[in-house]
Amino acid sequence: MDYEKVFNSIQHQAVFDALRRHGVEEKYINILKETYKGGTAQIRTEMLSRKISIMKGVRQGDMLSPVMFTSAVEEIFKRVNIEIGININGEMLNNLRFADDIILFAKTEEELKHLLEDLNREGKKDGMAMNKNKTKVMCNEVARRRQRYGISIDGEHLEEVDQYKYLGRLLTPGNEMAKEIDQRITSGWRRFGQYSNFLKDKRMPMCLKRRIMGTVIMPAMTYGAETWSLTNNQKQKLAVAQRSMERAMLNITRRDKIRNEVIRSFTKVKDIIEKAEQAKGQWAGHLARMKNNKWAKRMTEWWPKEGSRARGRPKRRWRDKVEEKAGSAWMRRAQDRNAWRKVWRPSASSGVTG
């Protein structure tokens, strides 16, 4: 779900009221009111217009703005029907929010439409209008087999899509990783191209090339690796892309027939698969040590009581790799930070294999 110019349209009074309901002391609210008081704008055409009082929007770039906006959005969600969503051990989950990036969940088309209408109505009260062109609908495979009529808000039909990027991560109905891995590889090559003159320069020392690989290119290729569940084919794709970059750094080609072990001994870059698995292990440890009321931990431990897996070979799950490395009691094992780091320590050969 997307709001139109949300940081510029939310009403000041709605923000201050939300902060008050969240228990912020009145003296701090008064200070914020003073910083927003008296703000004006003028429009320049052939001449300056009269001063227009600014009664909406939070300050762009201000560290407090995301907090103020989030508190106001929280109040909007409190005013809608919370009984809609997915039942997670007796409590309904119907949204994920990161500032103005919002995902809504519902079990049926009717529930989702009702939730959207409520949010659209309540948002307008605080000056926020839904952007129908950027708000999209995506269904899982179960919902795709049902008869659907489409969702419309204020008479405008919402587009149904097969994939959607949220916080830089490509989401698909079946949580397929193939397209996401392809995008990560493309992103890595794009960053490599930006520094190609430097990375391919024979006069530049390998230590500086390695630094660029580790600080610019590898993060682009492993973004979101904490949530990955990779097949062997996808791991191979990542490894092949990394080896191609290393050959370019050394100004050699596959026709030179130099073994990967020899190439890695010169570049000494960190293996991308090891890096991705370490990121996943670090997140798994952080997840295990979370308080039990955190949604991330509750979703990891949740076993749905409804439905069943489709026929055929089960898809690889996120926790499969964690259990493979640390056993079924990994959450208990992760409580010891030092022992957990040893579990995910790179193997001795990771620096020379591709």
Side-chain angles (χ1 to χ4, degrees):
M1 190 184 77
D2 188 84
Y3 283 116
E4 292 182 354
K5 301 178 181 178
V6 63
F7 278 90
N8 296 326
S9 61
I10 190 165
Q11 296 175 359
H12 292 168
Q13 192 57 48
V15 173
F16 300 141
D17 290 343
L19 292 173
R20 191 173 291 108
R21 293 191 187 97
H22 281 80
V24 177
E25 293 184 32
E26 196 66 29
K27 61 182 180 180
Y28 298 121
I29 296 176
N30 290 335
I31 292 173
L32 288 172
K33 284 183 178 180
E34 286 298 319
T35 63
Y36 280 84
K37 183 180 179 181
T40 60
Q42 290 180 285
I43 301 173
R44 181 188 294 276
T45 52
E46 295 179 356
M47 57 186 298
L48 280 176
S49 68
R50 63 178 178 83
K51 291 185 177 181
I52 304 169
S53 297
I54 299 176
M55 305 298 293
K56 295 182 177 182
V58 291
R59 297 178 185 273
Q60 298 290 328
D62 190 335
M63 293 177 64
L64 286 175
S65 293
V67 180
M68 295 168 65
F69 172 78
T70 301
S71 65
V73 174
E74 178 71 19
E75 289 302 310
I76 293 175
F77 272 83
K78 285 182 178 179
R79 300 199 298 260
V80 304
N81 185 359
I82 61 173
E83 296 303 320
I84 290 176
I86 301 173
N87 190 333
I88 309 295
N89 296 332
E91 190 169 352
M92 304 303 288
L93 175 65
N94 56 30
N95 69 89
L96 293 178
R97 284 176 280 138
F98 186 86
D100 61 331
D101 295 311
I102 302 171
I103 288 183
L104 304 177
F105 300 99
K107 292 183 65 175
T108 65
E109 186 179 25
E110 293 75 18
E111 286 186 357
L112 183 59
K113 183 177 181 180
H114 184 61
L115 183 59
L116 279 166
E117 288 175 343
D118 285 353
L119 286 170
N120 187 41
R121 182 184 65 253
E122 296 299 328
K124 286 180 178 179
K125 293 179 181 179
D126 292 345
M128 297 189 296
M130 189 180 297
N131 188 330
K132 282 81 173 181
N133 292 327
K134 292 186 178 180
T135 299
K136 310 293 182 181
V137 178
M138 188 165 67
C139 304
N140 64 12
E141 295 302 321
V142 176
R144 286 174 181 274
R145 293 193 290 268
R146 301 174 183 167
Q147 183 178 8
R148 301 190 310 280
Y149 301 95
I151 297 176
S152 299
I153 300 295
D154 294 337
E156 294 188 40
H157 184 75
L158 301 182
E159 180 186 1
E160 185 173 326
V161 296
D162 294 326
Q163 60 186 39
Y164 193 82
K165 184 166 286 190
Y166 182 67
L167 302 180
R169 168 77 151 80
L170 188 68
L171 304 180
T172 59
N175 195 29
E176 301 291 344
M177 289 300 306
K179 291 183 179 180
E180 172 66 9
I181 296 303
D182 289 343
Q183 288 212 353
R184 291 297 98 219
I185 293 173
T186 300
S187 180
W189 277 114
R190 190 178 294 119
R191 299 293 181 273
F192 189 92
Q194 291 174 345
Y195 294 89
S196 60
N197 291 337
F198 182 91
L199 290 168
K200 294 181 180 180
D201 193 336
K202 295 180 180 180
R203 298 168 298 175
M204 294 298 170
M206 184 55 65
C207 61
L208 296 182
K209 295 182 180 182
R210 191 185 311 123
R211 179 72 63 87
I212 292 178
M213 278 290 291
T215 59
V216 179
I217 299 170
M218 293 286 278
M221 294 183 70
T222 58
Y223 176 80
E226 295 85 349
T227 65
W228 287 356
S229 179
L230 302 179
T231 63
N232 290 333
N233 182 51
Q234 291 158 1
K235 290 180 181 179
Q236 181 67 15
K237 279 187 174 183
L238 289 167
V240 167
Q242 185 184 23
R243 288 196 292 265
S244 297
M245 292 176 184
E246 291 180 76
R247 285 195 294 270
M249 290 165 61
L250 295 171
N251 289 281
I252 60 177
T253 67
R254 294 184 65 180
R255 288 190 293 271
D256 294 316
K257 297 183 178 180
I258 300 176
R259 294 178 63 84
N260 294 326
E261 292 85 352
V262 177
I263 294 173
R264 183 62 56 83
S265 68
F266 281 110
T267 62
K268 294 184 172 63
V269 298
K270 189 171 183 178
D271 184 73
I272 191 170
I273 304 303
E274 289 277 4
K275 183 176 176 62
E277 290 186 354
Q278 276 189 295
K280 185 171 184 174
Q282 186 177 12
W283 166 246
H286 181 62
L287 181 72
R289 293 185 291 271
M290 282 181 180
K291 294 181 179 179
N292 291 330
N293 62 345
K294 296 290 186 179
W295 273 114
K297 186 170 186 177
R298 293 164 65 181
M299 288 297 299
T300 304
E301 297 176 327
W302 177 51
W303 291 94
K305 297 180 180 179
E306 299 178 1
S308 59
R309 284 190 169 190
R311 294 179 62 184
R313 183 178 180 179
K315 294 181 180 179
R316 189 167 178 80
R317 300 170 299 180
W318 177 87
R319 64 189 304 144
D320 288 340
K321 181 63 180 181
V322 181
E323 292 182 353
E324 178 184 314
K325 294 277 283 189
S328 58
W330 64 272
M331 280 201 173
R332 185 171 64 250
R333 190 174 181 182
Q335 303 306 314
D336 185 339
R337 292 175 182 267
N338 291 328
W340 189 249
R341 291 191 190 99
K342 292 179 181 178
V343 172
W344 296 90
R345 184 176 296 167
S347 61
S349 60
S350 62
V352 295
T353 60

